[in-house]
Amino acid sequence: MNAALALLFSAIVAVESGGDLNAVGDRGRAVGPAQIWEITVRDVNRIAGTRYTLADRTDLAKSAEMFRLYTDHYGRRYGMPISDEVRARVWNGGPNGPRNAATLKYWRKVRAAHSTISAHVGR
């Protein structure tokens, strides 16, 4: 994962769980630092031929790789290179997330977290 994508993933984690590796949300359906659903794990395994397990959702490195694989795959629908906004909105709203106005609020939160993290990293 390149530095720019790692920074975006850090912002996603900040918004999703505040960095809690064992976070559980969405009535138990979203787990881990990136709040990954079971269906997302299955989809990543189908797309990439991987063998991630539900337990892998609490592993930061494996969550980051699932994020990259998922957003690479579905983000391409919206042009190349894949923007941070498209990646965030795909992560929040699924394959059609960038078409869903409801994901704009999420993108704004991620963008703000990204700015905050960037400012601290640049010091």
Side-chain angles (χ1 to χ4, degrees):
M1 179 177 287
N2 68 40
L5 192 54
L7 183 62
L8 175 63
F9 183 70
S10 293
I12 296 279
V13 167
V15 169
E16 291 286 355
S17 70
D20 182 353
L21 296 179
N22 297 304
V24 177
D26 293 327
R27 292 180 229 116
R29 296 178 292 193
V31 174
Q35 291 294 277
I36 301 173
W37 287 42
E38 179 180 349
I39 193 168
T40 305
V41 175
R42 286 197 319 259
D43 206 14
V44 167
N45 286 337
R46 179 189 60 80
I47 290 163
T50 51
R51 292 182 180 209
Y52 289 109
T53 67
L54 296 182
D56 292 335
R57 298 179 292 177
T58 60
D59 181 295
L60 189 61
K62 290 177 181 179
S63 292
E65 186 61 12
M66 285 189 268
F67 167 79
R68 185 190 66 77
L69 290 166
Y70 188 82
T71 62
D72 275 357
H73 180 79
Y74 290 113
R76 286 187 181 103
R77 295 178 174 185
Y78 302 95
M80 293 296 284
I82 305 166
S83 72
D84 286 352
E85 178 179 353
V86 165
R87 284 185 190 277
R89 294 178 72 187
V90 163
W91 192 248
N92 180 242
N96 295 316
R99 294 187 185 120
N100 184 343
T103 63
L104 278 170
K105 182 178 178 182
Y106 179 79
W107 163 239
R108 289 183 192 115
K109 288 180 185 178
V110 170
R111 185 175 58 196
H114 188 283
S115 294
T116 299
I117 294 166
S118 294
H120 285 78
V121 169
R123 290 184 182 173

